[in-house]
């Protein structure tokens, strides 16, 4: 059974029938690599706050670009969904200066979506 939510017309918020595109998989991988680079910048001799923010912001863009269209549509319809929640959490974390957490929540959500799609296709 899928955990995807349906709207009032019975249409799923998102579809996993075709699976993630190669571009989505690559962007998720790039996002994870950028998070590792940001953490390396944080915990090494470099320890540059500006460099960390660049890595984490790039990780957010790489891993979160696919959330924005769904979040915008949910906001326009005044029908909140998980994409809107994730975008809100990411913006909020970045706003308070927690760039690593913002990037991590986007990356982990992307991994969860990727795994959900993989499981849906396998079942």
């Amino acid at each position: 059974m899928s955990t995807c939510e349906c709207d009032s017309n019975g249409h799923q918020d998102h579809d996993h029938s075709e699976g993630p595109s190669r571009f989505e998989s690559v962007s998720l991988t790039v996002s994870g690599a950028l998070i590792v680079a940001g953490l390396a910048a944080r915990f090494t001799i470099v320890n540059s706050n500006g460099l960390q923010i660049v890595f984490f912001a790039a990780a957010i863009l790489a891993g979160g670009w696919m959330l924005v269209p769904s979040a915008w549509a949910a906001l326009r319809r005044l029908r909140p969904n998980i994409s809107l929640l994730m975008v809100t959490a990411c913006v909020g974390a970045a706003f308070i200066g927690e760039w690593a957490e913002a990037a991590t929540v986007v990356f982990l959500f992307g991994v969860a979506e990727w795994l959900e799609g993989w499981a849906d296709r396998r079942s």
Side-chain angles (χ1 to χ4, degrees):
M1 183 172 170
S2 174
T3 59
C4 301
E5 294 182 25
C6 296
D7 64 14
S8 60
N9 297 325
H11 296 103
Q12 281 189 353
D13 182 69
H14 56 280
D15 182 22
H16 294 291
S17 60
E18 295 179 21
S21 71
R22 181 163 171 76
F23 185 71
E24 289 172 346
S25 296
V26 169
S27 70
L28 188 59
T29 303
V30 168
S31 177
L34 287 166
I35 290 171
V36 169
L39 291 173
R42 174 181 282 182
F43 296 114
T44 62
I45 192 99
V46 175
N47 198 13
S48 167
N49 194 38
L51 185 59
Q52 292 174 45
I53 291 173
V54 168
F55 281 130
F56 293 134
I60 291 167
L61 292 174
W65 63 268
M66 60 204 101
L67 294 172
V68 175
S70 175
W72 179 247
L75 189 61
R76 279 194 344 254
R77 291 188 319 256
L78 298 175
R79 305 265 313 162
N81 65 11
I82 190 71
S83 296
L84 181 59
L85 176 66
M86 287 295 108
V87 169
T88 303
C90 179
V91 169
F95 181 75
I96 62 172
E98 298 296 337
W99 289 90
E101 286 74 8
T104 302
V105 79
V106 167
F107 174 73
L108 291 176
F109 181 72
V111 169
E113 285 290 304
W114 190 90
L115 289 171
E116 180 184 2
W118 179 77
D120 282 351
R121 286 185 310 280
R122 298 249 333 168
S123 62

